[in-house]
Amino acid sequence: MLFNSFHFLVFFIIVTSLYFLTPYQKRWFILLISSCYFYMTFVPIYILILGFTIVIDYFSAIYIENSEGKKRKRFFIISLIANISVLAIFKYYNFLNQNFSFLINTLGFINPIPYLSILLPVGLSFHTFQSISYTIEVYRGNQKAERHFGIYSLYVMFYPQLIAGPIERPQNLLHQFKEKYDFEYNRVVDALKLILWGLFKKLVIADRLAIYVNTVYNNPEQHNGNTFFLATIFFAFQIYCDFSGYSDIAIGTANFMGFKLMKNFNHPYFSRNMSEFWSRWHISLSTWFKDYLYVSFGGNRVSIHLMYLNLFLVLLISGLWHGANWTYIICGAIHGFYLVFAIITKEFRKKINVLIGIEKIPWLNKLLKVIITFMLTCFAWIFFRANNVTEAFIIIKKIFTFSGVVFIENPSMMIYSFLGIFILLFVEIKDEFYIGKYYFFRNTSWIIRNLSYAFLIITILLIGVFDGGEFIYFQF
Amino acid sequence: MIKKSFSIIKKNHFKYFLFKLVVLFLIVFILDYVIGNILTYFYFKQKSGLLYRTTYSIEKTEADLLIFGSSRANHHYNPNIFENRMNLHSYNVGRDGNFIFYHSAVLKSVLKRYSPKIIILDFVPSEFREENHIYDRLSSLLPYYRTHPEMREIINLKSMYEKVKMFSYIYPYNSLIFSIAIGNTEFNKKRNYDFKGYIPLKKILNNPIKIDITSSRYEIDNIKINAYKTFIQDCINSNVKLYIVCSPYYIKSNHIDYSVRIGKEIARRNNIEFFDYSNNPLFLNNSKLFSDISHLNDNGATIFSNILINNIKNKLKVSQFQYKL
């Protein structure tokens, strides 16, 4: 069941109505049942995988809390192995086997290990990471083990964020399932505004741009450098609107019922450097890696060279997290390189800026930094979007020739695409640089407020793509 | 009084929310109704272009010979040649990117008005392949949903919520606003790029790939087969002579397509002629006759139309002879 489907609209109305009609002590049950149904609309049998990790983590956490020393560590490792094994089998097994085959075939042997014919369960990386964060927090003593099996199951399965995050922490989410939330007008309206904006981003921008991006990227031999340049810029907006649109709908859906999920995006394309980009892009994942991986590697408390290596490795692993494909790994490696390079050259770049006097014109300095960061991000997106590494290099080679007439199959498609991007930039620039000014959704005039909502709904009806596909991040 | 009752509503969050929601829905409904009706007016006011051709096919054509099919029908059959050689008014109903559901729905509308003498249905290999996006293509018929009840059953295949979505007056014209605007300009009226529905392709195929990329195995969609059967049955019931044609391809297929096999069998059972030119040696690897690997150019379409007419004429002669006997 997709958030951008009529099926979800019906589901949402039924579930939220039942939620508010049920006494608050029993609401967890309504949410759990509906979350099970939500998940089972994809591949029903895969609920057993979720059930497996839920049972293991539930008992592991209790045992971790009740034991000490080596025993405590043993239960923690059991939980980690269970979660990582599920990921390894369903997501990485075939990829590893394929690479192993390649390796031993070049040595003249035949790989005896068979491939698995399995579908990747939707949102596997998301709910596995959320489960891992729970046991880590219990192990670290930051979170008490949840005794209520139903509520713990709901923590893993809460439908708004089950498939593509935000990846929550137990400290933020678990206690919320025990609290009473009334139907508060302001909160409910805020939630609906966020859902509407998320739908706009998905239907009007992401799915529209996807048509052009898919046409170009799926036929790399047929298109020229300038076309790929435009398609890559489009993809940057597509993936942002697709994923942040999903996050907005998820956060809005949860907030409608009273739950506060963490913010996942904060206008990432206005970042002035890559470090800032990662503090604004997929925040729940980047903080997860920072809190649980980077810190475990020693964080900033190690030697400078080891810190560089750790930083690079974390970004490389985050690339692998996205998918079992070399394109994602290279994309992660590029981002790792960006971050390390930015730290190494920080002082040198400062000197250059002083030398050319750009710091005397702050707005230009800021603008240039934003554009450079955006372009660097776009370069990494080429690997993220390309069907394979070979095609990614073909595309890069073509882009740097800066040649050819841009492919336009349908002028109306282009107009809708640019119109969507224009509205997005208008709203994001207003939110980023003119905080507290030019309100539309929060305007004191009810006419402007209502017309703003109506404008978005009418625009969705007029130029939204209703037959668009899944959210990109569902595959992770 | 109003102020007092409003303040009572405001105190109850849920009632206040419902009140505001109703106000918003009213605004959206009015805007949707007004904009939707403006779009309807301008959609049906067009006098040329793709959208107009669909309207013409559904609501106006009275041609004796109709050609149904996808882009391959639209670019492969020249109605002028059919008119000259068969003395029958002809029109090409084919539309790019639309398959059996579209043909079936348009046929129902046509048969509601009149019965053509001959119908040619261009059959595409993989016609019955299970592909969900084919159902999305039915959106091209949404502007006719309200005025053509005979099409609704087919359009509703698009999704189970289509009836609900059709409460919106804008929805049928989703993503069409720019095309409708262009379709009403003087510039578009002067553009006369179709000849009785047929759009000739002028390009000659360059550097073609010669590998057969079609696959012999795929899942079959029974709903599509039923739509095909209905198409045949509707023609039979209306006494329309139907010819099903698989038009030429550039690349030789290494296998008999599963859909073609099923299509032929169903046609045979209903005594319908099925002409298969997909591996015709005159066209195979003849890049001069193709615009791309799937579509004939104008030159190729002229040759193909003549070949088909010869075959139809021969069949007609035989059947007339058999009838006399």
Tab-separated table of all heavy atoms in Angstrom, chain A residues 26 35 54 109 126 197 261 367 448:
chain	number	residue	atom	x	y	z
A	26	LYS	N	-6.018	0.991	24.870
A	26	LYS	CA	-6.125	-0.094	23.878
A	26	LYS	C	-5.686	0.331	22.473
A	26	LYS	O	-5.754	-0.449	21.533
A	26	LYS	CB	-7.589	-0.593	23.798
A	26	LYS	CG	-8.192	-1.006	25.110
A	26	LYS	CD	-7.719	-2.379	25.525
A	26	LYS	CE	-8.298	-2.764	26.883
A	26	LYS	NZ	-7.446	-3.711	27.611
A	35	SER	N	-0.922	-1.853	11.388
A	35	SER	CA	0.450	-1.881	10.863
A	35	SER	C	0.742	-3.234	10.210
A	35	SER	O	1.405	-3.296	9.177
A	35	SER	CB	1.466	-1.622	11.980
A	35	SER	OG	1.280	-0.340	12.511
A	54	ILE	N	11.501	-9.305	15.855
A	54	ILE	CA	10.803	-8.712	17.006
A	54	ILE	C	10.949	-9.617	18.231
A	54	ILE	O	11.315	-9.157	19.320
A	54	ILE	CB	9.309	-8.447	16.680
A	54	ILE	CG1	9.185	-7.231	15.747
A	54	ILE	CG2	8.494	-8.210	17.954
A	54	ILE	CD1	7.796	-7.020	15.169
A	109	PHE	N	37.857	-21.183	-11.464
A	109	PHE	CA	36.997	-22.134	-10.741
A	109	PHE	C	35.523	-21.801	-10.970
A	109	PHE	O	35.186	-20.716	-11.456
A	109	PHE	CB	37.302	-22.089	-9.234
A	109	PHE	CG	38.716	-22.432	-8.896
A	109	PHE	CD1	39.630	-21.437	-8.559
A	109	PHE	CD2	39.150	-23.768	-8.922
A	109	PHE	CE1	40.946	-21.756	-8.250
A	109	PHE	CE2	40.455	-24.085	-8.615
A	109	PHE	CZ	41.363	-23.072	-8.276
A	126	PHE	N	15.306	-0.283	6.948
A	126	PHE	CA	14.776	0.707	7.884
A	126	PHE	C	14.379	0.064	9.205
A	126	PHE	O	14.836	0.477	10.271
A	126	PHE	CB	13.567	1.431	7.267
A	126	PHE	CG	13.957	2.398	6.197
A	126	PHE	CD1	13.997	2.007	4.868
A	126	PHE	CD2	14.292	3.711	6.510
A	126	PHE	CE1	14.363	2.895	3.875
A	126	PHE	CE2	14.655	4.604	5.522
A	126	PHE	CZ	14.697	4.204	4.204
A	197	TRP	N	1.615	18.637	1.598
A	197	TRP	CA	2.878	19.093	0.989
A	197	TRP	C	3.718	17.887	0.538
A	197	TRP	O	4.328	17.911	-0.523
A	197	TRP	CB	3.639	19.989	1.975
A	197	TRP	CG	4.944	20.511	1.470
A	197	TRP	CD1	6.161	20.379	2.066
A	197	TRP	CD2	5.190	21.261	0.254
A	197	TRP	NE1	7.134	20.991	1.312
A	197	TRP	CE2	6.567	21.540	0.188
A	197	TRP	CE3	4.371	21.711	-0.780
A	197	TRP	CZ2	7.156	22.244	-0.862
A	197	TRP	CZ3	4.957	22.417	-1.830
A	197	TRP	CH2	6.326	22.672	-1.854
A	261	LEU	N	7.396	12.194	15.223
A	261	LEU	CA	8.555	11.502	14.639
A	261	LEU	C	9.627	12.536	14.345
A	261	LEU	O	9.339	13.719	14.173
A	261	LEU	CB	8.158	10.780	13.345
A	261	LEU	CG	7.074	9.709	13.444
A	261	LEU	CD1	6.856	9.050	12.084
A	261	LEU	CD2	7.440	8.631	14.459
A	367	LEU	N	26.146	31.749	-1.971
A	367	LEU	CA	25.527	31.201	-3.182
A	367	LEU	C	26.469	30.235	-3.906
A	367	LEU	O	26.070	29.133	-4.306
A	367	LEU	CB	25.114	32.334	-4.122
A	367	LEU	CG	24.408	31.921	-5.419
A	367	LEU	CD1	23.019	31.359	-5.116
A	367	LEU	CD2	24.275	33.098	-6.379
A	448	ILE	N	-6.513	33.399	2.499
A	448	ILE	CA	-5.194	33.038	1.919
A	448	ILE	C	-4.827	31.612	2.310
A	448	ILE	O	-4.335	30.833	1.492
A	448	ILE	CB	-4.107	34.046	2.351
A	448	ILE	CG1	-4.425	35.420	1.732
A	448	ILE	CG2	-2.709	33.561	1.947
A	448	ILE	CD1	-3.479	36.519	2.084
